[in-house]
Amino acid sequence: MRRTVRVIARCGYVAKGVVFLIIGVLASLAATGLGGNNVGTKEAITHLASQPFGGLMLALLSLGLLAYAVWRLLQALIDTENLGLGMRALGARLGFLISSGIYISLALYSFNLLRNAATGNTSPTDRTAELMSHPGGVYLVFAVGVGFACVGLRQMWRAIMRSYLENWRMVEMSATQRRLAEAATRWGLSARGVVFMIIGGFLCVAAVRTDPSEAQGLGGALNVLARQPFGPWLLGTVALGLVAYAVYCFVNARFRNVDP
């Protein structure tokens, strides 16, 4: 059982890293004017499918994303992190459950794309409008925005406090590996935190103005950075940070303690 869980978790972290690597590389190319584009997770998966051997890579990615969703579900249900049942712990486990749902959605999108039947690639505006159409939907959108902003702050807090070290098997890492892994992780978590805070801010604005068009996803958040003063520099810094976050995922695949 433990060996199976380890394989599931490590494959999942690799797949997640591949997605963020594509997003970061494309955004880096856009920042330097070399033809890239600012994309979200589904667009990154679609980009992979269009490459040589895209079908094979997409099949492997689909399985990896499904593995990551299963790993998140296990973290939530059997408490692989030994968090307990306190309020803070239950909040973290709820976050794992939500993350599992998100990656199941991405895995299904990948499988459908593999069958040339990808559907539901709706924009953030469409999803926000759908939520707002329900009773209390505006408040729900605002709550989701606050949630994104809180996740972004937590990512930056983890980078500052270096709490990720608690999950790594440090005895298996050389001094050089640890230094490089820490540098990539702190940059990656900070960049992802910035992006999540931007997404959360725009969702809150969309709720306050009751205007779904204000909502932005990951690609939209990167476009927002690009339009600011010194935009290419800002975008380039965050884009390379997303590449660094991919490295962090690969480090987790190799050195994270994933024993249940």
Side-chain angles (χ1 to χ4, degrees):
M1 174 63 180
R2 287 190 175 186
R3 181 179 179 84
T4 301
V5 171
R6 290 191 201 107
V7 171
I8 289 172
R10 300 197 192 291
C11 289
Y13 280 118
V14 169
K16 183 180 180 182
V18 168
V19 172
F20 276 93
L21 181 63
I22 295 170
I23 294 170
V25 168
L26 290 177
S28 298
L29 292 174
T32 54
L34 295 177
N37 196 13
N38 296 322
V39 300
T41 49
K42 287 187 176 180
E43 292 88 348
I45 293 170
T46 303
H47 179 82
L48 180 66
S50 65
Q51 304 307 304
F53 304 104
L56 175 60
M57 291 189 291
L58 189 59
L60 294 174
L61 182 66
S62 301
L63 294 173
L65 292 172
L66 184 59
Y68 189 75
V70 171
W71 165 240
R72 283 306 212 189
L73 187 62
L74 292 173
Q75 285 179 296
L77 297 183
I78 66 174
D79 194 17
T80 60
E81 309 298 301
N82 296 315
L83 297 173
L85 295 173
M87 290 300 295
R88 184 176 177 182
L90 290 175
R93 292 170 72 174
L94 177 61
F96 293 147
L97 194 60
I98 293 171
S99 177
S100 176
I102 291 171
Y103 280 91
I104 285 175
S105 173
L106 288 177
L108 290 175
Y109 177 79
S110 301
F111 281 123
N112 285 331
L113 195 63
L114 191 61
R115 296 187 299 112
N116 295 317
T119 59
N121 189 15
T122 55
S123 69
T125 296
D126 295 333
R127 292 191 292 270
T128 304
E130 174 65 22
L131 280 177
M132 286 185 177
S133 67
H134 300 291
V138 171
Y139 299 104
L140 181 58
V141 169
F142 188 86
V144 171
V146 172
F148 266 101
C150 288
V151 170
L153 287 171
R154 183 175 180 275
Q155 297 280 286
M156 299 184 78
W157 181 251
R158 290 184 66 209
I160 294 170
M161 299 304 294
R162 303 162 68 203
S163 61
Y164 48 83
L165 293 176
E166 301 170 1
N167 298 320
W168 289 350
R169 298 193 306 275
M170 305 296 293
V171 294
E172 297 182 14
M173 304 173 74
S174 68
T176 301
Q177 285 175 326
R178 175 175 171 172
R179 284 196 299 270
L180 292 175
E182 277 218 71
T185 298
R186 300 184 81 174
W187 190 358
L189 288 173
S190 298
R192 192 167 183 250
V194 168
V195 171
F196 269 54
M197 289 172 66
I198 292 173
I199 293 172
F202 274 100
L203 282 170
C204 290
V205 170
V208 170
R209 296 183 179 177
T210 324
D211 182 3
S213 66
E214 295 282 356
Q216 300 288 343
L218 177 53
L222 294 173
N223 284 329
V224 168
L225 288 173
R227 292 195 296 267
Q228 305 308 306
F230 306 103
W233 292 98
L234 286 173
L235 177 61
T237 300
V238 172
L240 290 177
L242 294 177
V243 173
Y245 185 80
V247 173
Y248 164 62
C249 292
F250 298 145
V251 171
N252 278 335
R254 172 61 180 85
F255 293 108
R256 196 185 199 281
N257 180 11
V258 292
D259 288 329

